[in-house]
Amino acid sequence: MDPVSPAQALVRPGPLVPPGPPLTAERVSRFSRQLMLPGFGEPAQRRLGAARVLVIGAGGLGSALVPYLAGSGVGTIGIADDDTVELSNLHRQVSHGVADVGRAKVDSLADTVAAIDPECRVVRHRERLTSANLLELLADYDLLVDGSDNFPTRYLANDAAVLAGIPLVWGSILRFHGQVGVSWREFGPTYRDLFPVPPSPDEVLSCEQGGVLPSICALVGALMATEVVKIVTGVGEPLLGRVTTVDTLSGRSREITYQAIADAPDITSLIDYEVFCGLPSDTTADTGADAELAAEAGARRSPRGVTAAEVLARVRGGEPLHLLDVREPAEAALRRIAGSELLPLGDLVAGAEPHPGDALLVVYCEQDLRSRRAARLLLERGHDDVVFLVGGIDRFASVADELVQR
């Protein structure tokens, strides 16, 4: 498909789907407050009832936006997620409860939808979406919503939506901030025009590592659900070529505009998005374009980060840990995590090795710049069970000061 020009990006799309059957008296009563909205009415409600929406992720964003899709009257909602509910999810993934811990998230979220509107059809896809299965799934849907928490899935969702010729509503959250946008190649630029190159894995924090304010999930999820309603019904102006960003600390929001990249290569197939984002590939071998992409990305191993809270939980649970301090002796003399081994980064680069052991090796420094490099170096040397402490001893001291020696 040819790139979209700035002039084309200004074209306002009409309703995505034709209206479904007339509303029953019960459905008119249920959606009465929505039906009276200016420019909405019964035709828009019937379009929602006929719409088929696939949502990636049943976590922070999915558990916020899916109930609003059901409440708005979307007739069919597919939910794709292979994860189970954990206790640490509950502070922000409010469609799940204590009784759901250990259950599949798709099952828990489907129960939430059934409690809102039993007539809403939920299709459960308890699987990890990949280049091998997403396009086949999209054949049954009109619109894709990406509530994932990682860049490989975001690029996968974008490219699959382009190839399927359907709109994509995407959102992202981290700490106190969130973003919402719409990618629709027929009418405007896509996610790749906004982010042509994925960030280095070293620069990416997940919610597990960086934290997230629960209410930002609700805020961004509600905005994403609103975009779905607008696109399906043709009411309002979708976020095409625009991104809404929110900062809950300041209470401010702003809009970023962008255009399609005129000379961007066409998307003709789905690739290995783990490799594209600089992560280890899940496949045993790459061929063709994927092999070239792997070579271009360097296919280097990237260390995983663990949070201070996770380390503290492991310590209190009695799990063996090998804490490796890669700062200088003068820094360690001021404060260090109890029981840690000191091995300055310069010595490690020169060939020194940490004491041998079978426990998880947790590398830390003052924040995490040196520890990331040290962890990668240890991985390259064949140490398999190596992670770095996100935020370093600074972050650790804020949650476990009693374990910091001074």
Side-chain angles (χ1 to χ4, degrees):
M1 186 175 293
D2 293 333
V4 176
S5 70
Q8 289 176 300
L10 298 176
V11 175
R12 178 173 165 176
L16 181 66
V17 298
L23 302 179
T24 64
E26 187 276 335
R27 302 302 276 180
V28 169
S29 177
R30 171 182 284 272
F31 300 115
S32 59
R33 303 301 187 273
Q34 189 162 285
L35 289 168
M36 68 177 62
L37 290 171
F40 204 84
E42 184 172 340
Q45 194 64 55
R46 290 166 58 189
R47 294 182 193 279
L48 287 171
R52 303 165 302 166
V53 177
L54 176 61
V55 177
I56 301 176
L61 289 176
S63 70
L65 71 92
V66 166
Y68 279 112
L69 294 181
S72 298
V74 172
T76 300
I77 303 175
I79 307 173
D81 195 303
D82 66 346
D83 201 4
T84 56
V85 179
E86 299 178 4
L87 184 62
S88 62
N89 300 149
L90 301 185
H91 91 291
R92 67 193 184 281
Q93 300 179 19
V94 293
S95 288
H96 312 301
V98 174
D100 297 311
V101 171
R103 294 183 68 199
K105 288 184 179 180
V106 292
D107 293 338
S108 172
L109 191 49
D111 287 349
T112 299
V113 171
I116 295 170
D117 183 0
E119 292 192 27
C120 179
R121 176 173 175 256
V122 175
V123 183
R124 310 175 195 192
H125 303 284
R126 192 180 177 187
E127 57 187 312
R128 179 173 175 266
L129 297 183
T130 67
S131 300
N133 61 14
L134 182 51
L135 278 178
E136 183 177 356
L137 289 182
L138 286 182
D140 295 326
Y141 294 96
D142 305 302
L143 185 148
L144 180 61
V145 182
D146 179 21
S148 65
D149 62 355
N150 62 88
F151 281 97
T153 304
R154 290 170 188 160
Y155 283 99
L156 167 65
N158 177 83
D159 293 1
V162 169
L163 292 175
I166 64 174
L168 165 71
V169 175
W170 62 269
S172 64
I173 52 174
L174 183 64
R175 292 180 171 167
F176 305 99
H177 309 280
Q179 299 178 337
V180 182
V182 172
S183 297
W184 198 350
R185 197 70 182 103
E186 183 179 355
F187 294 99
T190 73
Y191 186 84
R192 277 187 179 268
D193 294 306
L194 183 64
F195 300 108
V197 179
S200 166
D202 292 346
E203 301 171 356
V204 176
L205 278 179
S206 65
C207 290
E208 178 185 4
Q209 298 168 349
V212 62
L213 187 70
S215 55
I216 194 68
C217 302
L219 179 57
V220 171
L223 289 172
M224 294 171 71
T226 301
E227 291 303 308
V228 172
V229 171
K230 288 158 56 179
I231 292 171
V232 168
T233 63
V235 173
E237 183 183 352
L239 282 171
L240 287 167
R242 300 179 293 133
V243 176
T244 293
T245 68
V246 292
D247 178 351
T248 55
L249 281 184
S250 67
R252 295 187 178 93
S253 64
R254 67 189 183 103
E255 183 179 283
I256 300 171
T257 60
Y258 65 104
Q259 297 179 348
I261 299 174
D263 58 351
D266 290 339
I267 297 169
T268 58
S269 64
L270 300 182
I271 60 175
D272 187 327
Y273 293 90
E274 301 285 335
V275 172
F276 176 68
C277 293
L279 299 171
S281 174
D282 287 339
T283 58
T284 56
D286 291 310
T287 59
D290 283 349
E292 296 177 6
L293 187 58
E296 181 180 340
R300 68 175 186 272
R301 301 181 67 186
S302 298
R304 181 175 69 88
V306 294
T307 65
E310 184 178 347
V311 172
L312 179 60
R314 288 172 178 260
V315 170
R316 289 179 174 170
E319 296 184 40
L321 291 177
H322 184 170
L323 293 160
L324 184 67
D325 185 350
V326 294
R327 299 174 300 159
E328 295 301 311
E331 295 173 287
L334 295 176
R335 60 175 182 174
R336 62 187 304 182
I337 301 175
S340 58
E341 175 189 355
L342 178 64
L343 179 58
L345 178 60
D347 294 346
L348 185 66
V349 172
E353 288 285 323
H355 296 152
D358 297 327
L360 175 68
L361 184 57
V362 182
V363 186
Y364 74 92
C365 59
E366 199 66 21
Q367 294 180 336
D368 58 31
L369 293 177
R370 284 172 287 178
S371 62
R372 289 171 185 260
R373 181 183 176 190
R376 182 184 297 110
L377 181 60
L378 289 166
L379 284 171
E380 291 172 352
R381 290 182 183 176
H383 296 266
D384 291 326
D385 214 6
V386 182
V387 297
F388 68 90
L389 178 60
V390 176
I393 195 170
D394 270 354
R395 184 78 52 81
F396 190 80
S398 68
V399 299
D401 191 60
E402 70 277 10
L403 297 179
V404 177
Q405 295 178 335
R406 291 178 172 83

